[in-house]
Amino acid sequence: MGTHAQTAAAKEAREKPSAKSRRRRRLIDYPRRGRRGVRRWLPSWRQCLSVFLLTAGAIAALFAWVYASVDIPDENAAASQEANVYYWSDGTQMVSTGEINRQSVDLDDVPKPVRDAVIAAENASFYSDSGVSPKGLVRAVVNMARGQETQGGSTITQQYVKNTYLSQDQTYTRKVREFVLSLKVDRSKSKDEILQGYLNSSWFGRGAYGIEAAAHAYYGIPARHLNPSQGALLAAVLKGAEQYDPSLSAANHRRAKARWAWILDRQVTVGLMSGRERAKYRTFPEPYKQSRSTSLSGSGGQTGYLVDVANKYVRQRTGLTDKDLARGGYAIHTTFDKKRVLTLARSVRDVLRRDLDPKTRKEDRGVEVGAASVRTRDGAVLALYGGPDATRHFSNNADTSGVPAGSAFKPFVLAAALQDGLNPKRKGPGGMTPGEALVKGGNATYTALGDDLGARRVREVAEDAGMLRSSLARGDDMFPLGTSTPSAVRLASAYGTFARGGLQHDPYSVTAVTKDGEEVEGLEPPRTRRALDQRAAGTVSRVLRDAATASIGPARGLDGQPVAAGRTTDQDRFRSAWFVGYTPQVSTAVTLFRTREGDPLLQPLSGVGGPGSRYGNALTERIWLGALRGVDLAPGAGPKVEEPRAPASGDGG
């Protein structure tokens, strides 16, 4: 063999792997042989392709298994709602809100522009997509990993599936089931059936499930009568009634108006409305200010107001939303005392029936009353009167601001002065001491006292005693005379601070909430704190006992202790009357004012109740006495005041 042939054979022998080397060859060449440095750790394109195909195959197999194993559940069973049950303080049942406020309608009963508004706002590709949004699923998973909300990005089909078949839990497994069920539902139902189910199952706020209930709740009309502008507003609140119901706050109104306009513009953009049609809707379609929900229509009376206050407290303390509560299943234990609630309502009804004559005396028309009783030792709300009937009179007069406190605010001015070292015997401009001026209704003394203290200091003491900062007026010359507008609940609670020697408790109305046997956290009773010096609080109480005697006579509680009270007088220049009195156990505030339909301002009280009512002040005293006589006052305590009192001399406002 020649030299060249020998060399070629040797080279071939070297390059050809031996049997032994072939036996040592690895199934997966990684790290890669024959490579050095970083290249040794870089996979080949064949390896990358293999990994991709294996992963894709595994995911496809897993999805196929999940798809095959997930069945569409029974729609009616999954969509059924539970009742919320509310209990009196003694543990007996107060009311069950078992009637779900929903009336399903056919899609043909929903005007096409209203349907188009919902589609434009929620899922413009609804009629052409597969029922799911892969991007939305990925976004939801990422948000859950970050601990954020998963809302947003779901198709109408996915939202319908969530409303109808699944729980509202934000978990990975629930999102995957939602995705798979949406694919199946999209294949088994027509798009019109899905849209109809979505419109009938969605939450619109105000206790309303479904477009029909929402149309009544916001506009007092059936869904078939909604116009395109109203439909755009209802489509806006689908994003979250707590943020977009325009009647809840000024911020909500701004958000709702902006989203309403965007939805109308969006319909033009996606071809669901012409520009000419859009131009017709430039005025925001204001809904009713109060809810037209009928979920408590069978309860009537004060029950709706009690539920309203309890729900508000639960939302503030636990993070549960209106939507959560409306889904039902909660047992809510309240502080409300059934006997006190009934007695308070009866007292209001009796006094108004006896002393008002709206048919023949126009000054008696539009009279409103609000009242609340709070336990002084811990702030529990025992009773309230929100109006004649919660199913007809929607505003809760016991838990709303807007009615000036007048001279009922003066005890906080006196408390601030005593906290800062005022000599209680120091005489003011009218020749009276602050205590005498409070009893006799003198305003000049308290105007001067407010000037000496400064509005900021008075506000601090009033807030410490339990008044809400948002209800306190700006600090002008009238501020010490009661331009602030607390609710009856808050004013009764703040007077309870005087009754407890300066110890303050925020009012509370719910002791416990449970669902499926589990207790909801966040409902521990408010803590006790020192708000006023004991000596200052005691001095204010002594003055208020003199004021009560001057107003209702020598009334005493069941324990023999005299009643203490603050009140407005006929010297006040505000269009409201208040009487806030307390025994050592209970503080009750009663307010009276007049309204007129279409006029946002309070109406004058002159002439209300005839010549003996003293601008309505005698009526609030009588309501207070009637409510407390049966539960806290000794029999026969406190005379009725029938004749007007002579105005105080020398210190009138």
Side-chain angles (χ1 to χ4, degrees):
M1 182 180 294
T3 303
H4 183 270
Q6 290 175 344
T7 302
K11 182 177 181 181
E12 182 180 355
R14 287 195 304 272
E15 292 178 352
K16 184 176 182 181
S18 65
K20 185 177 181 180
S21 66
R22 286 197 299 271
R23 286 195 301 269
R24 291 199 303 267
R25 178 176 294 173
R26 293 174 295 174
L27 179 63
I28 299 175
D29 184 22
Y30 191 86
R32 298 171 66 191
R33 283 186 173 182
R35 301 291 189 273
R36 294 182 178 180
V38 176
R39 295 183 60 196
R40 186 166 183 259
W41 299 96
L42 292 176
S44 68
W45 68 269
R46 292 186 180 87
Q47 290 171 332
C48 292
L49 179 60
S50 298
V51 171
F52 173 80
L53 292 175
L54 286 171
T55 303
I59 292 174
L62 177 62
F63 183 82
W65 177 80
V66 172
Y67 189 89
S69 62
V70 173
D71 294 322
I72 299 177
D74 185 294
E75 178 176 330
N76 292 327
S80 62
Q81 300 293 319
E82 298 179 79
N84 286 331
V85 182
Y86 296 78
Y87 296 91
W88 296 105
S89 58
D90 63 1
T92 58
Q93 183 173 320
M94 179 171 71
V95 66
S96 172
T97 57
E99 180 188 351
I100 299 302
N101 186 23
R102 168 165 51 202
Q103 305 87 41
S104 295
V105 294
D106 292 332
L107 192 61
D108 290 340
D109 287 330
V110 182
K112 188 176 185 301
V114 178
R115 290 179 259 158
D116 290 343
V118 173
I119 291 171
E122 297 293 311
N123 182 191
S125 63
F126 169 70
Y127 275 101
S128 60
D129 63 30
S130 62
V132 297
S133 170
K135 289 182 179 180
L137 176 64
V138 173
R139 186 183 303 115
V141 171
V142 172
N143 286 344
M144 280 190 288
R146 294 175 176 174
Q148 299 174 352
E149 291 287 325
T150 65
Q151 296 169 348
S154 295
T155 65
I156 283 176
T157 304
Q158 287 176 269
Q159 294 180 63
Y160 165 66
V161 165
K162 181 173 63 175
N163 292 344
T164 308
Y165 301 108
L166 300 174
S167 71
Q168 300 301 303
D169 297 335
Q170 297 184 11
T171 63
Y172 297 104
T173 55
R174 206 274 294 157
K175 290 299 295 183
V176 171
R177 289 196 72 210
E178 173 191 308
F179 191 90
V180 172
L181 280 175
S182 297
L183 288 172
K184 288 196 168 187
V185 167
D186 190 73
R187 296 187 64 180
S188 63
K189 291 179 179 285
S190 70
K191 289 290 188 180
D192 282 351
E193 287 177 317
I194 293 171
L195 182 59
Q196 177 178 300
Y198 173 69
L199 291 174
N200 282 325
S201 63
S202 292
W203 166 253
F204 289 83
R206 300 193 179 192
Y209 275 101
I211 189 71
E212 180 74 4
H216 284 284
Y218 285 83
Y219 293 108
I221 58 177
R224 65 179 181 274
H225 292 161
L226 290 168
N227 63 40
S229 183
Q230 294 167 332
L233 187 276
L234 294 184
V237 299
L238 279 171
K239 190 173 178 66
E242 290 89 352
Q243 297 293 315
Y244 291 90
D245 183 338
S247 70
L248 296 181
S249 69
N252 271 33
H253 194 279
R254 289 192 296 271
R255 283 190 290 266
K257 189 173 183 179
R259 186 161 176 82
W260 162 81
W262 176 83
I263 289 173
L264 290 171
D265 292 337
R266 175 73 171 162
Q267 290 180 74
V268 177
T269 301
V270 300
L272 295 174
M273 179 183 283
S274 68
R276 178 178 297 180
E277 179 71 4
R278 167 65 180 94
K280 296 179 182 178
Y281 308 112
R282 297 297 179 188
T283 302
F284 183 68
E286 294 285 355
Y288 287 127
K289 295 300 182 184
Q290 283 82 30
S291 171
R292 296 284 171 150
S293 167
T294 59
S295 59
L296 284 170
S297 59
S299 302
Q302 298 304 302
T303 307
Y305 304 121
L306 301 176
V307 169
D308 173 65
V309 168
N311 286 349
K312 179 179 178 181
Y313 185 78
V314 169
R315 291 196 307 268
Q316 291 173 341
R317 295 296 298 270
T318 67
L320 292 176
T321 65
D322 277 337
K323 184 175 180 179
D324 296 325
L325 292 170
R327 289 190 180 278
Y330 293 94
I332 301 172
H333 299 266
T334 75
T335 60
F336 304 128
D337 183 300
K338 183 176 183 179
K339 182 179 180 181
R340 289 182 183 275
V341 171
L342 295 176
T343 302
L344 179 58
R346 186 185 306 116
S347 181
V348 175
R349 184 172 59 249
D350 290 348
V351 170
L352 297 187
R353 183 186 297 130
R354 183 182 66 238
D355 295 335
L356 298 184
D357 187 9
K359 292 183 178 180
T360 60
R361 193 163 51 220
K362 65 179 182 179
E363 293 86 356
D364 290 351
R365 297 167 190 166
V367 171
E368 302 272 0
V369 172
S373 295
V374 174
R375 190 163 58 206
T376 59
R377 66 176 170 85
D378 63 354
V381 181
L382 301 178
L384 56 83
Y385 179 87
D389 191 317
T391 63
R392 293 182 288 105
H393 179 276
F394 304 109
S395 297
N396 189 342
N397 292 345
D399 193 38
T400 187
S401 59
V403 183
S407 291
F409 183 78
K410 289 177 181 176
F412 302 104
V413 182
L414 176 59
L418 294 169
Q419 284 280 97
D420 289 358
L422 171 78
N423 181 353
K425 297 183 179 180
R426 192 189 76 177
K427 296 190 179 295
M432 296 181 187
T433 65
E436 291 170 334
L438 191 150
V439 172
K440 297 181 179 180
N443 288 339
T445 295
Y446 276 84
T447 300
L449 205 55
D451 289 340
D452 292 343
L453 292 165
R456 181 177 180 180
R457 178 56 178 153
V458 176
R459 288 170 65 95
E460 287 176 352
V461 171
E463 194 174 338
D464 285 345
M467 298 270 275
L468 288 177
R469 180 179 301 177
S470 59
S471 72
L472 296 175
R474 59 190 180 91
D476 57 14
D477 291 343
M478 294 292 288
F479 176 67
L481 304 183
T483 52
S484 297
T485 56
S487 68
V489 172
R490 276 287 170 174
L491 199 53
S493 174
Y495 267 64
T497 302
F498 301 135
R500 286 280 287 162
L503 297 178
Q504 190 270 339
H505 312 83
D506 285 337
Y508 71 101
S509 56
V510 175
T511 57
V513 174
T514 59
K515 182 177 175 65
D516 299 328
E518 297 291 328
E519 189 162 332
V520 177
E521 296 182 353
L523 292 168
E524 301 79 12
R527 63 185 180 88
T528 301
R529 64 183 183 86
R530 170 65 62 183
L532 298 174
D533 177 82
Q534 188 170 5
R535 180 177 298 178
T539 300
V540 173
S541 276
R542 286 193 293 274
V543 172
L544 292 178
R545 285 195 289 270
D546 293 340
T549 300
S551 184
I552 62 173
R556 292 184 175 272
L558 292 175
D559 58 0
Q561 295 293 318
V563 168
R567 83 283 194 223
T568 51
T569 72
D570 49 2
Q571 298 298 301
D572 282 80
R573 296 295 181 260
F574 304 111
R575 298 179 175 186
S576 59
W578 286 86
F579 189 88
V580 192
Y582 56 86
T583 66
Q585 293 77 32
V586 178
S587 175
T588 298
V590 181
T591 184
L592 182 145
F593 54 95
R594 277 185 69 217
T595 62
R596 183 170 60 189
E597 187 174 356
D599 191 339
L601 300 178
L602 298 183
Q603 302 302 302
L605 292 180
S606 55
V608 168
S613 79
R614 308 191 332 268
Y615 296 91
N617 292 298
L619 304 186
T620 58
E621 295 166 2
R622 294 167 191 167
I623 291 170
W624 188 92
L625 279 168
L628 274 292
R629 181 176 287 118
V631 286
D632 283 313
L633 296 182
K640 291 181 180 178
V641 180
E642 301 294 348
E643 298 300 326
R645 306 275 181 92
S649 60
D651 202 24

